Amino acid sequence: QVQLVESGGGLVQAGGSLRLSCAASGSIFRFNTMGWYRQAPGKQRELVAALTRGGITNYADSVKGRFTISRDYAKNTVYLQMSSLKPEDTAVYYCNAGVMSDSLLYDYWGQGTQVTVSS
């Protein structure tokens, strides 16, 4: 069973920074991809940033240059460093991990952490 636990959310002023953490139960090396999604009230969940096992990153256009995804294998943790935050970044942020098994992709999700950016 995979467990993902997010932390690091909170209230920050526009222009500020936060770092989100996603701690996984067990080695994160087993995951083909790990990423961060967010969902604002009344909106669909959207991809923010993703990182493949091979080190390829993918960012939403709205966060490019401001957010950075990274990982620490020793701590089984994935991070999302968020800088120059804007009020429109306000959302619940979810950690995601995907693993391929028998040609099927299995998705795992954390419980989410709230990020609120005040103007």
Side-chain angles (χ1 to χ4, degrees):
Q1 185 71 15
V2 174
Q3 288 187 323
L4 303 172
V5 180
E6 302 103 330
S7 61
L11 174 64
V12 64
Q13 288 188 331
S17 299
L18 280 175
R19 188 178 78 159
L20 305 183
S21 300
C22 172
S25 58
S27 173
I28 63 172
F29 187 77
R30 59 187 155 151
F31 299 125
N32 294 82
T33 63
M34 293 195 75
W36 290 92
Y37 288 71
R38 67 186 180 188
Q39 187 166 19
K43 294 187 176 182
Q44 288 188 330
R45 191 173 296 189
E46 62 175 359
L47 173 69
V48 176
L51 176 61
T52 70
R53 182 189 294 164
I56 298 172
T57 56
N58 182 34
Y59 294 95
D61 287 342
S62 59
V63 307
K64 283 181 181 177
R66 300 189 297 121
F67 290 10
T68 302
I69 188 170
S70 63
R71 63 191 167 199
D72 186 331
Y73 283 121
K75 296 182 179 180
N76 294 320
T77 300
V78 171
Y79 303 98
L80 184 67
Q81 178 67 49
M82 305 185 294
S83 303
S84 302
L85 283 161
K86 305 175 181 180
E88 50 264 43
D89 294 317
T90 295
V92 177
Y93 284 70
Y94 297 91
C95 180
N96 169 267
V99 58
M100 292 293 294
S101 179
D102 295 329
S103 301
L104 296 176
L105 178 64
Y106 294 86
D107 266 327
Y108 300 94
W109 295 91
Q111 82 287 353
T113 185
Q114 176 71 46
V115 172
T116 303
V117 184
S118 63
S119 56

